[in-house]
Amino acid sequence: MTENPFFEAWTTPFELPPFERIDPSHFPPAFERSMEEQVAEIAAIAGAGAAPDFANTIEALERSGRLLRRVSRVFNNLDSSATNEALQAIDRDYAPKLAAHQMRIALDPGLFARIDALYRKRDRLGLRPDQLRVLERHHLRLVRSGARLDPEEKARMSAVSQRLATLHTLFGQNVLHDEDEWRLMLNEEDLDGLPDFARAAAATAAAERGLDGKYVITLARASIEPFLAFSARRELRQRAYAAWAARGTHAGAHDNAPLIAEIMALRAEQARLLGYPSYAAYRLDDTMATTPEAADRLLRQVWEPAKQRAAEERADLAAAALAEGLNQPIAPWDWRYYAEKVRQQKYALDEAAVKPYFVLENMVEAAFDTAGRLFGLRFVPRPDCATYHPDVRAFEVQDAAGHAVGLFLHDNFARAGKRSGAWMSSYREQESLDGEVLPVIVNNNNFSKGDPTLLSFDDAKTLFHEFGHGLHGLLSRVRYPSQSGTSVRRDFVEFPSQVFEHWLSVPEMLRRYARHYRTGEALPEALLEKLLAARNFNQGFATVEYAACALLDLDLHTRPNPAGLDIARFEKDFLARIGMPPEIGLRHRPAHFQHLFAGSGYAAGYYAYLWAEVLDADGFAAFTEAGDPFDPALALRLKAIYSAGDTEDPMTLYRAFRGREPEIAPLLAQRGLAA
Ligand SMILES: [Zn+2]
């Protein structure tokens, strides 16, 4: 009988989980014991004889559940990055149990009575600003969970969140199933138009599946997007696009339509119980935007200009298609292909000619160097830190004085058992309640592995984006665990990630790090200029593709009574209602819109990317105005945002950095939509 590693202290560097000793069978007993522990901790707080004070209630609450956090983080990370049937079965089993556990705490009358008593006299407790905020946030969290409801309503709230947890889990597993299931196997003669990097990636994907000598296209974005952009075989593009768009829609055991209908009905019920007219109204009440109307207003400011831009872009595409003999309307599986042709004509910029200059390792160095020049960080490889997969690299992060500030894990490649997309997560979060705890942060990407791995400019942007989130976790300097790093309002959390993307396009960084994989030569100056000149290219398409999803999300979650929702019908009606251009497909159709349905984190919140883009465009403009992308005084003020976690109101933080509130003009210019 092996010992359960979750019940031991970990002596590894940064208490990195001892992955090689963790077996799926360790999770159920670890979940059980850690929930029991926290229940006992909460009972001790709620039942304490002493009158409530900040230390015996709020700080005690912040200390509770440490084992559960440790177990959950390891589980969630492995289940996302390296899952298998055993982990997926545990997820289905424990998602509702964990939801019930969280609700049991949130709805504990004794705990709420003590927090409420403190909240009522919060101005007289002599609290520091971060303490006042942590008290207010806990109070609001419990109220928003239903702490003020009567016992019958509380029971219903708890049942609803348990069922939702199960539905979210099943939704994500269905998408992963459809993505793992499908592949397009090609022979040499099917590769017309594909540049070397795409051929190499397809050969690697085939070899990984034991199909040496063949070529495989998968539904990973890094595989299918280049295929749609370059394959000259229209019928193959159409087949691949159809499979991509159909994820989650197949009738049978993995159909997401019935799950969506049930999720929407339950969310509306949650909102009703809490006294909100809709789920969107409930969710946005606790954001920077504060109302669905404010978020909708921002989206509408870009929607019509973006459609106009897209119509102009379509005319260029149709002309290019006609020149090639295609006398049919542009279809969604044609857009990327002809956009590539137009890009070459208009900017003489060939994506395939650029890619050899974007070597993954060099772009990682560029991201590290940017963090060094802005924030004084250094990244030192720690090959001695064993992780959960041989492709994952570990780095010790040090400040300018050489002191460790955390550990950074980089998991960059697509593989079976890893969910699609790119994300940042953590194994441990920074806090200093009982002594300094250093963060262990992970970035996941889904690049196609090659020798070497070459990135598109968009891939490199994704790398910088996730790294920006990573820095938000690594630079955190807070006392309370619940305020750590990225624990900020949802429509503010994309600011640190999106603003960081801007440094990829700083010419001196491109000159230094965009080097040809074979010759080591720097990106030619002419190509660099073309790359930057073409930045607004196809932004009508990109904005329509994104904004349609964000509008759909808000529209769906603003319905007061979505009972009996037919999601396919809704999607069709909605697209007609907003005048969606037929040649542009939805970036995420509801059936595989994981932001919305594989969890509730971004439900009624997909607008957050554009909301934060107002801030990132306006924020980076400060560096442009200063005439130095690494202006030290500005960098120091920006660092304060990355370090603050949720200790302050986001707009207060932004004003302290920028000296004023954000303006929308830089966003419109950035997307080429300015009048
Ligand atoms: Zn992000």
Side-chain angles (χ1 to χ4, degrees):
M1 194 53 192
T2 56
E3 294 298 314
N4 191 324
F6 288 107
F7 302 148
E8 301 163 9
W10 295 341
T11 54
T12 42
F14 300 89
E15 290 186 28
L16 191 64
F19 293 105
E20 72 289 352
R21 289 176 47 226
I22 295 175
D23 183 83
S25 67
H26 294 135
F27 286 108
F31 276 133
E32 295 296 341
R33 189 192 289 186
S34 59
M35 284 192 280
E36 278 164 32
E37 262 188 38
Q38 195 178 18
V39 165
E41 288 162 345
I42 298 300
I45 298 169
D53 60 30
F54 187 79
N56 73 16
T57 304
I58 299 298
E59 289 192 339
L61 182 61
E62 287 281 326
R63 279 190 185 92
S64 78
R66 282 206 164 129
L67 180 59
L68 182 57
R69 283 203 290 275
R70 173 155 96 160
V71 179
S72 298
R73 285 193 186 127
V74 176
F75 181 80
N76 292 335
N77 277 303
L78 291 182
D79 192 35
S80 299
S81 304
T83 197
N84 52 45
E85 281 184 19
L87 290 175
Q88 291 189 324
I90 295 168
D91 194 7
R92 289 190 296 273
D93 194 12
Y94 276 88
K97 291 180 186 171
L98 291 163
H101 172 76
Q102 297 306 344
M103 287 305 274
R104 176 175 172 174
I105 295 171
L107 302 180
D108 184 300
L111 179 68
F112 182 68
R114 290 176 75 90
I115 293 177
D116 197 38
L118 289 174
Y119 178 78
R120 283 167 199 280
K121 56 178 180 186
R122 61 192 181 283
D123 295 332
R124 286 170 281 135
L125 297 173
L127 299 177
R128 294 193 316 257
D130 63 328
Q131 293 178 318
L132 180 61
R133 187 163 170 91
V134 83
L135 166 58
E136 288 172 345
R137 300 292 318 161
H138 276 302
H139 186 263
L140 186 64
R141 183 174 59 83
L142 299 193
V143 169
R144 286 173 59 77
S145 299
R148 286 202 171 123
L149 300 179
D150 66 36
E152 209 173 291
E153 292 168 326
K154 280 184 178 175
R156 183 60 196 153
M157 277 299 279
S158 181
V160 166
S161 49
Q162 289 171 56
R163 180 64 188 155
L164 278 172
T166 295
L167 294 166
H168 295 155
T169 302
L170 293 174
F171 186 95
Q173 292 186 356
N174 286 344
V175 176
L176 186 64
H177 169 271
D178 285 2
E179 287 176 351
D180 279 351
E181 193 81 340
W182 190 88
R183 65 182 185 212
L184 181 62
M185 201 176 67
L186 303 174
N187 295 311
E188 189 75 41
E189 63 270 22
D190 303 320
L191 306 181
D192 294 356
L194 295 192
D196 287 347
F197 80 84
R199 288 170 185 246
T204 306
E208 280 170 4
R209 288 160 180 78
L211 298 164
D212 290 282
K214 300 270 184 195
Y215 300 86
V216 161
I217 304 302
T218 72
L219 294 180
R221 199 166 267 280
S223 176
I224 190 159
E225 280 200 325
F227 185 75
L228 292 172
F230 294 109
S231 173
R233 298 275 297 275
R234 190 171 192 237
E235 79 288 2
L236 291 179
R237 288 202 312 267
Q238 183 172 2
R239 235 164 86 194
Y241 183 86
W244 200 31
R247 288 169 296 151
T249 64
H250 303 289
H254 298 281
D255 186 1
N256 271 338
L259 303 188
I260 293 173
E262 196 181 345
I263 289 171
M264 290 307 303
L266 291 174
R267 284 178 180 165
E269 188 182 348
Q270 272 183 329
R272 263 198 315 278
L273 280 165
L274 294 167
Y276 289 92
S278 68
Y279 186 76
Y282 161 57
R283 287 306 300 270
L284 274 86
D285 194 22
D286 187 30
T287 60
M288 287 182 88
T290 70
T291 63
E293 291 72 29
D296 192 70
R297 221 175 296 132
L298 173 64
L299 290 166
R300 299 283 169 187
Q301 275 184 276
V302 303
W303 178 244
E304 290 301 330
K307 273 204 298 187
Q308 272 173 34
R309 270 303 295 136
E312 292 159 24
E313 290 166 7
R314 183 194 53 212
D316 291 343
L317 266 49
L322 195 59
E324 283 205 349
L326 178 75
N327 197 4
Q328 282 181 46
I330 297 290
W333 47 92
D334 296 322
W335 190 290
R336 288 173 176 80
Y337 179 74
Y338 289 108
E340 219 21 69
K341 306 267 168 204
V342 172
R343 192 205 308 264
Q344 289 178 25
Q345 288 163 12
K346 274 201 161 167
Y347 298 95
L349 184 68
D350 178 355
E351 169 97 31
V354 170
K355 206 153 173 168
Y357 292 92
F358 286 83
V359 179
L360 171 64
E361 276 69 33
N362 297 346
M363 288 301 114
V364 171
E365 277 307 310
F368 287 174
D369 189 21
T370 304
R373 296 178 67 179
L374 288 173
F375 308 132
L377 298 180
R378 263 170 33 106
F379 292 76
V380 183
R382 287 291 302 258
D384 58 309
C385 292
T387 68
Y388 53 91
H389 191 279
D391 284 345
V392 182
R393 301 183 64 202
F395 300 87
E396 179 171 319
V397 187
Q398 298 176 349
D399 64 17
H403 298 301
V405 302
L407 190 73
F408 177 65
L409 305 181
H410 225 174
D411 183 349
N412 283 321
F413 301 116
R415 59 175 173 264
K418 182 171 172 179
R419 79 173 161 87
S420 56
W423 66 98
M424 167 274 197
S425 179
S426 66
Y427 283 92
R428 196 170 70 165
E429 292 192 342
Q430 182 275 335
E431 48 136 324
S432 56
L433 182 52
D434 297 306
E436 189 62 46
V437 173
L438 299 180
V440 178
I441 301 297
V442 57
N443 270 184
N444 276 276
N445 290 295
N446 266 292
F447 303 134
S448 295
K449 196 174 177 180
D451 184 23
T453 298
L454 300 176
L455 304 184
S456 68
F457 195 57
D458 278 349
D459 289 338
K461 245 192 238 168
T462 301
L463 181 88
F464 269 60
H465 177 100
E466 297 309 330
F467 189 64
H469 283 308
L471 292 172
H472 201 186
L474 288 164
L475 287 167
S476 177
R477 277 281 164 277
V478 305
R479 182 178 170 95
Y480 297 106
S482 71
Q483 294 181 326
S484 188
T486 53
S487 314
V488 298
R489 301 286 64 72
R490 187 181 56 192
D491 47 7
F492 189 59
V493 78
E494 297 300 333
F495 169 68
S497 54
Q498 291 182 174
V499 76
F500 198 78
E501 291 176 33
H502 290 269
W503 275 274
L504 172 64
S505 300
V506 167
E508 64 174 291
M509 297 305 280
L510 286 172
R511 283 186 194 110
R512 193 148 169 199
Y513 291 100
R515 291 184 171 273
H516 197 279
Y517 75 99
R518 234 183 285 123
T519 64
E521 267 172 75
L523 187 69
E525 221 33 45
L527 203 51
L528 186 148
E529 272 170 34
K530 285 188 230 165
L531 187 67
L532 295 181
R535 262 188 302 180
N536 281 345
F537 176 71
N538 212 32
Q539 280 299 304
F541 169 84
T543 307
V544 166
E545 201 195 24
Y546 160 78
C549 290
L551 287 166
L552 179 145
D553 170 31
L554 277 182
D555 193 274
L556 195 54
H557 285 104
T558 308
R559 313 179 126 222
N561 185 15
L565 176 74
D566 175 346
I567 192 65
R569 176 83 185 268
F570 166 84
E571 182 182 342
K572 212 166 150 242
D573 292 349
F574 170 79
L575 293 177
R577 199 145 34 87
I578 63 168
M580 182 73 172
E583 59 280 353
I584 300 181
L586 276 177
R587 185 176 175 85
H588 308 282
R589 294 184 60 205
H592 48 250
F593 205 161
Q594 306 210 61
H595 286 84
L596 268 49
F597 302 117
S600 60
Y602 277 81
Y606 198 64
Y607 77 91
Y609 293 95
L610 193 71
W611 191 271
E613 196 176 325
V614 174
L615 305 182
D616 82 62
D618 183 68
F620 189 75
F623 288 90
T624 310
E625 288 158 19
D628 176 3
F630 297 98
D631 182 272
L634 274 172
L636 200 63
R637 297 213 299 269
L638 183 62
K639 188 179 178 183
I641 292 182
Y642 283 82
S643 299
D646 194 40
T647 54
E648 274 195 76
D649 171 70
M651 193 53 90
T652 308
L653 286 172
Y654 187 84
R655 270 197 307 260
F657 154 65
R658 190 64 166 105
R660 57 163 175 75
E661 303 233 333
E663 290 165 3
I664 193 175
L667 162 81
L668 297 176
Q670 176 166 303
R671 286 193 174 250
L673 301 176

